[in-house]
Amino acid sequence: MKFKLHSDYQPAGDQPKAIEQLVDGLEKNLKRQTLLGVTGSGKTFTIANVIERVQKPTLVIAHNKTLAAQLCNEFREFFPKNAVEYFVSYYDYYQPEAYMPNSDTYIEKEAMINEEIDRLRHACTQALLTRDDTIIVASVSAIYGLGSPFEYEKIVLHLRKGQELDRRAMLEQLIAMQFERTNSELKCGSFRMRGQVFEIMPVNEDAIYRFEISARITQIELIDSITRIVKREVEDVWLFPARHYVVGEEGRKQAFDRINNELQNQLALFEKQGKVLEYERLKRRVAYDLQMIKNVGYCNGIENYSRHFEGRTEGEPPFTLLDYFLHRTQRTANPTQPPLGKGRGTFLTVIDESHVTLPQIRSMYNGDKARKDTLVEHGFRLPSARDNRPLTYTEFDSKIGQAVYVSATPSEYEMKVSEQIVEQIVRPTGLIDPEVIVRPIVGRARPLSGSLLCEGERDVEPSPPQRRGQGEVSLSQIEDLILRIEERVKNNERVLVTTLTKKMAEDLTEHLKEKNLKVAYLHSDVSTLDRIEVIMNLRLGKNDVIVGVNLLREGLDMPEVSLVAILDADKEGFLRSETSLIQTIGRAARNVNGQVVLYADNITGSMKRAIEETNRRREIQMAYNKEHGITPKTIQKAIRNILEEFGISADKAKNRRAIARRDRLATTTELDLIGDGRTINVIIKEKETQMKQAAQELDFELAAILRDEIRELRAREKTTGVKELKKQKNNYHTGVVIGSSPSPRGS
C-alpha cells in the first residue's frame, strides 16, 4: 500500500515552498537537510507531505517519549490507512546494573516493564517486516540493542485454517519463540491448551486467537481479551516471537562455545592479576546464566551475551531498530514466509527537535561504556557485555541514509552538515510570535526601570504596588505570576510556567494549589504515561497550569496555552540559553492571545538575542498577513486521548506502578527495621518528627516519602509480632546488594 495523506487543509504560507525544496533535495540524493520551521508553522504537516511525495518508509526520532507520542498521534491522523507505530523504552522504572568500587556496592538491575508499550514495540518491528507503508515514531531508544532482525523473522509461525498440525512441533516452536504456556489467565506472549482448543495472545495485539484443533485446524476466531466476545473468524494467523532476543538451536550452541572460550580467557587474566574474588564471582555468574539459557532458553541479563548469540565480532555494533529498517529495504520477499516487503530502497529519517535529539544520541554511548567497564573490571560481567550498548554517533549517522533535521532553533552542527537549509517562517494561520515582556524577580521599592527592556519590546502596565511595612513595593515574580494566571483562567486559557529545578516546580505547584488554582507539575521523574495525561488534562481544562523544568520547551502542541512564564530568566545557562528561551517562547505561538513573561532583574545576552529573534519573526509574519489580508486565528485542534489511540489503559498502568511502588516501599521499610533494636513505635515517632520538620522547610518530596514509610511501618506493626521481627533480624545475612530480580532488558 502507498502512503496516502488525508487532511482538510492544503499547504499554505511557507509550506508549499518548503515541501518542494525538501523533495527536490531528496530526489537529488542530498544526505542531510534542515527544515528551520518556527513553532506553529506546521512542520509535521510539511514532513507528512514530503513522505507522501517520496513514498519511503520513515523513521521519526524525538528526544522524549511525550513528544514522540504526540507526533505519532499526528501522523496517524495524516495517514489513517498506513502503518504508523510508536517505539520507545518499555520501562516504567529502570535502574541499570552498576558497581561502585569506593563503597563496594553492587546495584543489581531493577526494572519494571510496561507490557503495553512492549506490545507497541513489537507492532513496530512486525509492521516493518510486513509492510512498505510504515512510519515509526521513536525516542532515542531506537539506537539501543534490539536483537537480530534475521533471527526474529526466521522463527515466524504461520497457522492456517485447514492446516495439518503436529501439536508437539507447534508447542516446541512456540517455546522457542519465547511464548509462555499457562493454565490460567492469558497475557501478551502466552498460550494455553485445553483439549481440542488452543488459545494464544500475541505480543503485538490486545486480543486472543482461538483455534479448534483435531488433526487439522478446523476454526480460527479472533476474540476480545476482556469480554471474550468473538470479533470475527479469520483464515490464518502470523505469529512473531514474544521477545526480540531470540536465537535458534544452532546459534545457541555456537554461542555457548564462544561464551565459554571468553570466560576461560577472562578467568586466566584474573588469575594472573591475583584477583581471586573477581575470579570466583565471574565463574559462578556465567555458569548460572548458561544453565538457565540451556534449560529455559533465557536468563536475566541475557542481553549482555548478545554479541555471541548474534555472531558479532568484538566492537561490532549491536542490532537496533535501524537494522529492521535496513533489513526491510535490503531483502527480497520469501514465499515460505509472510508477504513481507519487497525491498524498495532506502528509508527516510526525520530528526525532530534536532538541536536536542542529536546531542542526546551523541551522549548515550560514553555513559554506558563507563558503567560497563567497571562491571567487567570487577568480575560482574564478561568483556563482551561492553558490546551490549547503544550505537555511537558515527555508527548511527552511517545507518540512517538520507535525513531531514527539523527544528525552530537548529544548532551549529545541523547548519554545518546540511547540504540545504529550508526556512519555514510564515504560518498559514497568520499567527504572530507572542509578545515578550520582562518583569522583575524581586519585589522592589519602585517598579523596574524601562532601561531594562530591550529596544522594541513592549512592557505591560506595572502591577499595582502593595504596602509592606513603611513603604510600597512592586510585586515579586510569584505574586505577579498569580495575578496573570487568574486573568487567563477567567478567559478559559491555559498557562505554562518553567522553573530551574524539579523541587522548585513541585514546591511552586503546592503553593499555587493553596491559592485554589488547578495546577500540576511536569518533569523527568513523572512517568511517560502520566506526562501524556498531564498534558491532556491541561488541554481539557481539568488543570489550568502546568509547572515544569525542561519538558515544556520543545514540540509540545497545546493551542489553549496563551501565557508562558519563565521564572528566573536571567540565570544564564542551559535552561536559560538563547535556544531554550526561543523554544519556550514558542509554546505561546499557537494562540492569538499569546504572551510570554520573562522574570528577570537583568537582561542577559541570551535574553536579548531571543527577544530580537522573536521580534524579527513577528515582523515577517505581520508583513505577510498585511499583504494577504489575513486575520490571525488561534489554532483549533481536536483533543484526543493519545493513550487510547495506542490502546493503553492509563488506570492499568497506574495500578501497575502503584504495586511496584508498594513493593519498593516494603523493601525499604524492612531494611529500616533490620539491625535497629528500637521498637516500631519509637521509629515511627522519629519519622513523624522528621516529616513535620521537612514540611516546615517546604521539602514536600521528603515529607511525602516519610509519610508513606510511616504508613508502611504502622501496617507492619499490626500484622507482624515482635518475636517475628526479631527472628527476621537474626536471620538476615548482610551483604550490600541493592535492587531485586532484574527483568530482561529492552531499551
Side-chain angles (χ1 to χ4, degrees):
M1 183 180 292
K2 290 188 174 183
F3 287 106
K4 178 63 179 176
L5 176 63
H6 292 259
S7 175
D8 296 332
Y9 305 99
Q10 294 296 318
D14 279 347
Q15 291 172 347
K17 180 182 67 174
I19 293 166
E20 290 299 327
Q21 288 179 301
L22 290 170
V23 171
D24 182 63
L26 292 170
E27 290 177 346
K28 291 178 178 177
N29 204 32
L30 300 184
K31 295 285 288 183
R32 301 290 182 267
Q33 300 182 80
T34 291
L35 173 61
L36 196 166
V38 300
T39 301
S41 63
K43 297 189 290 294
T44 305
F45 184 54
T46 296
I47 293 297
N49 276 273
V50 171
I51 293 172
E52 184 187 43
R53 291 277 296 275
V54 300
Q55 290 292 315
K56 288 185 176 183
T58 302
L59 171 63
V60 181
I61 302 180
H63 68 281
N64 67 58
K65 297 177 181 179
T66 308
L67 179 55
Q70 179 182 289
L71 284 170
C72 186
N73 192 50
E74 290 179 1
F75 279 115
R76 285 185 172 184
E77 291 179 6
F78 290 138
F79 298 103
K81 302 293 185 181
N82 305 112
V84 182
E85 305 293 347
Y86 181 60
F87 188 95
V88 298
S89 170
Y90 57 25
Y91 292 124
D92 280 337
Y93 171 79
Y94 181 65
Q95 168 62 60
E97 181 184 29
Y99 178 67
M100 294 176 286
N102 291 339
S103 59
D104 189 26
T105 303
Y106 172 66
I107 303 175
E108 194 170 358
K109 186 177 82 173
E110 185 180 1
M112 183 173 66
I113 291 176
N114 186 310
E115 293 179 357
E116 291 168 312
I117 294 181
D118 189 34
R119 172 173 57 81
L120 297 176
R121 288 164 61 93
H122 280 276
C124 290
T125 52
Q126 293 174 27
L128 279 173
L129 296 178
T130 58
R131 301 183 64 162
D132 290 330
D133 58 329
T134 301
I135 299 171
I136 306 294
V137 184
S139 67
V140 293
S141 184
I143 71 169
Y144 280 81
L146 192 61
S148 168
F150 309 97
E151 294 294 334
Y152 185 78
E153 184 183 21
K154 188 189 301 180
I155 203 170
V156 169
L157 177 62
H158 187 199
L159 299 176
R160 308 177 298 279
K161 188 176 177 179
Q163 172 184 340
E164 291 186 7
L165 193 67
D166 184 333
R167 290 196 185 193
R168 184 177 178 86
M170 181 190 69
L171 294 177
E172 288 177 350
Q173 183 165 353
L174 286 171
I175 296 297
M177 294 165 67
Q178 303 300 320
F179 279 85
E180 296 179 6
R181 185 170 185 177
T182 181
N183 292 318
S184 58
E185 181 184 0
L186 284 173
K187 60 181 182 179
C188 287
S190 66
F191 69 93
R192 65 187 173 201
M193 184 82 71
R194 293 178 176 174
Q196 304 293 0
V197 176
F198 165 67
E199 294 178 317
I200 188 165
M201 193 169 181
V203 288
N204 64 315
E205 296 181 69
D206 190 14
I208 296 171
Y209 286 95
R210 185 176 185 272
F211 301 80
E212 291 188 7
I213 301 171
S214 56
R216 298 175 179 270
I217 299 175
T218 58
Q219 190 176 38
I220 307 176
E221 295 173 325
L222 180 62
I223 300 174
D224 187 281
S225 61
I226 305 297
T227 65
R228 303 290 294 183
I229 296 174
V230 177
K231 293 183 176 181
R232 63 180 184 274
E233 289 191 21
V234 296
E235 293 298 315
D236 68 335
V237 178
W238 291 98
L239 296 173
F240 285 79
R243 292 191 177 99
H244 285 104
Y245 283 99
V246 289
V247 182
E249 185 61 32
E250 184 62 31
R252 189 179 297 126
K253 290 179 180 177
Q254 293 176 2
F256 279 10
D257 293 337
R258 287 192 290 264
I259 292 170
N260 277 315
N261 288 336
E262 185 185 17
L263 174 62
Q264 296 308 315
N265 291 335
Q266 189 68 6
L267 291 178
L269 177 63
F270 283 154
E271 188 175 24
K272 183 179 179 180
Q273 296 173 343
K275 294 184 175 180
V276 179
L277 176 62
E278 290 81 355
Y279 180 102
E280 289 297 327
R281 181 184 287 153
L282 185 65
K283 183 179 178 181
R284 290 171 183 259
R285 160 159 266 176
V286 176
Y288 175 80
D289 287 348
L290 291 180
Q291 279 300 314
M292 287 290 295
I293 296 170
K294 184 177 180 181
N295 294 328
V296 301
Y298 202 80
C299 76
N300 291 325
I302 191 173
E303 66 277 2
N304 289 293
Y305 305 106
S306 60
R307 189 186 89 191
H308 297 298
F309 285 109
E310 295 167 1
R312 293 185 281 124
T313 59
E314 184 177 355
E316 189 177 354
F319 293 106
T320 66
L321 181 66
L322 298 175
D323 292 284
Y324 282 77
F325 274 95
L326 292 168
H327 181 62
R328 194 215 70 84
T329 60
Q330 291 172 353
R331 54 107 165 95
T332 57
N334 187 335
T336 64
Q337 292 186 351
L340 304 174
K342 299 178 181 180
R344 265 188 308 104
T346 58
F347 64 97
L348 173 65
T349 301
V350 177
I351 312 294
D352 194 60
E353 305 295 350
S354 58
H355 64 285
V356 180
T357 306
L358 289 178
Q360 196 176 87
I361 293 172
R362 203 175 279 115
S363 67
M364 293 294 102
Y365 172 79
N366 291 330
D368 183 85
K369 182 178 183 300
R371 181 173 56 82
K372 293 285 179 54
D373 284 345
T374 304
L375 289 168
V376 171
E377 181 184 349
H378 292 88
F380 290 97
R381 289 293 173 193
L382 288 170
S384 56
R386 294 189 181 102
D387 291 318
N388 168 45
R389 58 174 178 81
L391 299 176
T392 66
Y393 185 79
T394 302
E395 291 166 345
F396 165 79
D397 196 57
S398 67
K399 287 178 179 284
I400 60 174
Q402 289 183 296
V404 177
Y405 305 128
V406 180
S407 175
T409 54
S411 70
E412 185 179 342
Y413 173 81
E414 292 102 278
M415 304 296 279
K416 180 181 178 181
V417 301
S418 292
E419 298 165 87
Q420 179 174 230
I421 311 293
V422 178
E423 205 169 48
Q424 186 169 293
I425 301 294
V426 175
R427 302 177 178 89
T429 58
L431 282 170
I432 303 168
D433 281 81
E435 174 190 44
V436 181
I437 62 175
V438 180
R439 300 297 304 156
I441 297 174
V442 180
R444 300 173 182 268
R446 56 179 181 269
L448 203 64
S449 66
S451 62
L452 182 65
L453 304 178
C454 293
E455 186 178 352
E457 178 196 351
R458 285 200 305 113
D459 192 11
V460 296
E461 291 295 321
S463 302
Q466 293 188 344
R467 288 196 175 274
R468 293 182 185 160
Q470 300 299 315
E472 293 184 345
V473 298
S474 63
L475 299 179
S476 69
Q477 63 177 353
I478 302 301
E479 294 169 325
D480 184 78
L481 172 65
I482 291 172
L483 291 179
R484 295 178 186 276
I485 291 174
E486 291 172 343
E487 182 182 351
R488 300 288 166 162
V489 171
K490 289 178 184 176
N491 296 328
N492 195 30
E493 296 171 349
R494 314 287 187 263
V495 179
L496 298 182
V497 182
T498 67
T499 66
L500 287 173
T501 66
K502 297 176 186 178
K503 186 178 183 303
M504 189 176 177
E506 294 176 8
D507 291 349
L508 179 58
T509 298
E510 291 298 321
H511 182 71
L512 295 178
K513 284 181 177 179
E514 291 173 0
K515 302 296 182 181
N516 297 317
L517 295 169
K518 296 184 293 182
V519 59
Y521 64 79
L522 188 69
H523 54 60
S524 58
D525 289 346
V526 178
S527 72
T528 304
L529 301 184
D530 283 343
R531 292 178 201 176
I532 295 171
E533 192 172 23
V534 167
I535 292 169
M536 188 173 68
N537 286 341
L538 183 82
R539 296 200 63 200
L540 289 169
K542 294 181 180 180
N543 285 317
D544 295 314
V545 185
I546 293 180
V547 183
V549 182
N550 197 33
L551 293 176
L552 300 178
R553 284 174 35 192
E554 286 87 5
L556 295 181
D557 190 356
M558 295 173 282
E560 297 80 9
V561 172
S562 66
L563 174 65
V564 172
I566 303 175
L567 302 184
D568 301 299
D570 56 359
K571 304 299 186 290
E572 189 82 79
F574 171 70
L575 294 176
R576 298 296 182 261
S577 66
E578 177 188 349
T579 296
S580 294
L581 291 173
I582 291 174
Q583 287 287 344
T584 309
I585 289 168
R587 296 317 103 206
R590 292 181 170 91
N591 193 292
V592 71
N593 298 321
Q595 187 182 74
V596 177
V597 182
L598 304 180
Y599 290 98
D601 290 331
N602 299 286
I603 294 291
T604 65
S606 293
M607 288 174 61
K608 186 174 185 300
R609 291 189 295 273
I611 293 171
E612 289 174 346
E613 175 61 17
T614 301
N615 289 336
R616 182 185 77 85
R617 295 175 179 182
R618 282 172 61 87
E619 291 171 2
I620 293 173
Q621 186 71 58
M622 287 189 291
Y624 179 86
N625 291 353
K626 184 178 180 179
E627 182 182 347
H628 295 85
I630 296 174
T631 301
K633 295 180 180 178
T634 298
I635 294 173
Q636 300 296 320
K637 203 160 191 174
I639 303 174
R640 301 171 65 175
N641 190 326
I642 299 177
L643 299 178
E644 291 180 357
E645 292 286 329
F646 296 143
I648 295 175
S649 168
D651 290 338
K652 189 188 295 183
K654 284 181 179 178
N655 290 337
R656 186 168 54 246
R657 292 195 296 274
I659 292 169
R661 184 172 174 273
R662 285 198 299 269
D663 290 343
R664 291 198 295 274
L665 182 61
T667 301
T668 302
T669 303
E670 187 169 336
L671 291 174
D672 273 343
L673 295 172
I674 299 300
D676 195 329
R678 299 174 298 172
T679 65
I680 294 182
N681 270 331
V682 173
I683 297 174
I684 289 174
K685 287 180 181 179
E686 182 184 62
K687 288 185 179 289
E688 284 177 337
T689 302
Q690 294 171 350
M691 178 182 70
K692 292 175 182 178
Q693 185 179 348
Q696 289 175 354
E697 295 173 355
L698 303 180
D699 192 347
F700 301 115
E701 184 177 4
L702 177 59
I705 293 171
L706 290 165
R707 178 201 62 200
D708 293 342
E709 291 178 357
I710 291 168
R711 288 174 179 173
E712 180 68 20
L713 285 167
R714 283 173 176 163
R716 289 291 187 95
E717 188 179 23
K718 292 179 181 179
T719 59
T720 309
V722 176
K723 290 183 179 179
E724 179 62 26
L725 279 174
K726 287 182 178 178
K727 184 179 177 183
Q728 290 177 10
K729 295 175 186 180
N730 292 333
N731 291 338
Y732 187 84
H733 299 286
T734 59
V736 189
V737 178
I738 304 173
S740 58
S741 300
S743 301
R745 173 170 177 144
S747 52

